Amino acid sequence: MISVEGVTKRYGFLVAVDRATFDVDRGEVVGFLGPNGAGKTTTMRMLTGTLQPDEGAICFDGKPIADNLTAAKTRVGYLPEANPLYDDMLVCEFLEYVARLRGLDDRQTRAGIGRAVEETGLEDVFFRPISEISKGYRQRTGMAGAILHEPEILVLDEPTEGLDPNQRVEIRKLVSSLGSERTVILSTHVMQEVEATCDRLLVITRGAIAADGTVAELMEAGHGISRYTVEAAGEGVVDALRGLPGVDDHSVEAIDGRVRVRLETTGDQELRPDIFQLATRQGWVLWELRRERATLEQVFRELTMDHPEVEANGAADAGDPAPVANGGENGGDDE
């Protein structure tokens, strides 16, 4: 449904997005991950037609959206990270205003608002001022505005930013339900949300796509990260274990006359047989031997660990041009 073909976006000498290429199928919920300043928001703004790429093309159903931006924008609902709302409006007034901006007639407005309010659970605050509702309901209001014109594609930029854990769970459930009938692209830094809601992940760093696959595929690959926990009693345990091939880091904890050693390794080699044989040869009493699968957070760090955190004016990756000296995108809000 969505095809991004060699897309590049520059701000002066800064390359914010560098020849990004990926596809999104109809009905997928895709997590878009990356460190601050990686190019996430710039890419999402190009997907919505707010920004235009300097090179490459973004296509919906094989047709470049640049050929008819107005038509393309009617197919997209967008919740920017800033979630721009008017505090002096009632929730109902804001949704009516969004419907007018979308060019909906009276019948379409009534039907669209009714569906959006039901889907986002805004019934209890529909007639309340936006200034008086919680952050969770503000996010729901933004999502209602994004979907009331029945878009096929929903682009959500950090939808749970600033929410408490309970509100995060509620918004996570909402995103899952919205994704049952739409194609959703979701930007977030919260790995639990990704694992709970996304069918597939795109990881971007330095403006380029670093990984593309399902959560299970990225976790299974582990990108060379493995962690082992070994608890043993005997002589020379720590020195012997840290000398095993592929061990990059280790930590040691003393427990009642024995040691618990945690090893971090790179590479595909399975070390448990080696550790067991080593314990047999050395005459150790082996209390525990366990390999831990890489977590999604570890995979993310492995893919992006060489990406410097980019800051400009106290924020990053909002998609607007930043001074070249800062080396990143600044924190400007959407119009």
Side-chain angles (χ1 to χ4, degrees), residues 7-267:
V7 165
T8 296
K9 181 65 180 178
R10 300 181 183 88
Y11 299 119
F13 294 109
L14 170 66
V15 181
V17 178
D18 187 10
R19 293 168 291 180
T21 299
F22 60 87
D23 296 321
V24 178
D25 292 333
R26 190 177 303 275
E28 276 193 306
V29 179
V30 176
F32 199 41
L33 308 180
N36 289 338
K40 299 186 303 297
T41 297
T42 295
T43 303
M44 297 178 89
R45 288 181 174 179
M46 288 191 287
L47 288 170
T48 65
T50 306
L51 293 176
Q52 298 304 304
D54 297 318
E55 298 174 13
I58 295 172
C59 301
F60 292 169
D61 295 327
K63 298 179 181 179
I65 65 173
D67 291 352
N68 190 338
L69 274 177
T70 300
K73 288 181 179 181
T74 63
R75 303 179 64 182
V76 180
Y78 180 36
L79 178 66
E81 182 179 0
N83 189 14
L85 303 175
Y86 293 99
D87 285 350
D88 56 343
M89 286 185 174
L90 305 180
V91 171
C92 59
E93 292 173 335
F94 173 76
L95 295 179
E96 289 171 356
Y97 176 61
V98 173
R100 289 200 301 273
L101 292 178
R102 286 287 182 180
L104 305 184
D105 60 29
D106 290 344
R107 181 190 62 80
Q108 291 170 325
T109 296
R110 288 192 299 271
I113 291 177
R115 283 190 302 268
V117 167
E118 182 178 359
E119 284 194 74
T120 56
L122 285 174
E123 294 90 346
D124 291 342
V125 299
F126 187 61
F127 295 107
R128 289 179 59 184
I130 291 175
S131 61
E132 296 180 5
I133 63 177
S134 69
K135 181 66 181 292
Y137 275 121
R138 291 174 71 92
Q139 291 300 89
R140 289 173 179 268
T141 301
M143 287 193 185
I147 66 173
L148 64 82
H149 63 295
E150 294 190 88
E152 304 166 70
I153 302 165
L154 193 56
V155 178
L156 308 176
D157 195 355
E158 300 285 352
T160 62
E161 183 68 23
L163 301 184
D164 66 37
N166 291 331
Q167 292 171 331
R168 285 181 183 275
V169 170
E170 292 303 313
I171 296 298
R172 194 181 303 160
K173 292 178 181 177
L174 176 57
V175 171
S176 296
S177 66
L178 293 176
S180 63
E181 297 180 356
R182 300 172 180 88
T183 301
V184 179
I185 299 177
L186 166 71
S187 169
T188 181
H189 287 107
V190 182
M191 298 301 162
Q192 296 95 320
E193 290 172 12
V194 172
E195 295 186 65
T197 60
C198 297
D199 304 315
R200 185 169 135 239
L201 301 182
L202 292 165
V203 181
I204 186 171
T205 183
R206 296 181 182 273
I209 302 300
D212 181 355
T214 66
V215 174
E217 287 170 348
L218 267 61
M219 295 278 284
E220 182 67 26
H223 289 272
I225 302 172
S226 295
R227 288 187 175 181
Y228 295 85
T229 299
V230 183
E231 186 176 328
E235 296 294 328
V237 173
V238 176
D239 289 340
L241 290 176
R242 68 186 182 186
L244 289 169
V247 174
D248 294 326
D249 197 6
H250 73 284
S251 63
V252 181
E253 178 184 2
I255 305 174
D256 297 331
R258 56 189 186 273
V259 291
R260 175 177 292 161
V261 184
R262 292 184 172 88
L263 307 172
E264 184 169 304
T265 72
T266 55

Side-chain angles (χ1 to χ4, degrees), residues 283-295:
W284 301 338
V285 177
L286 196 59
W287 289 70
E288 180 182 5
L289 173 55
R290 174 166 49 93
R291 180 184 182 183
E292 300 173 8
R293 298 172 64 89
T295 65

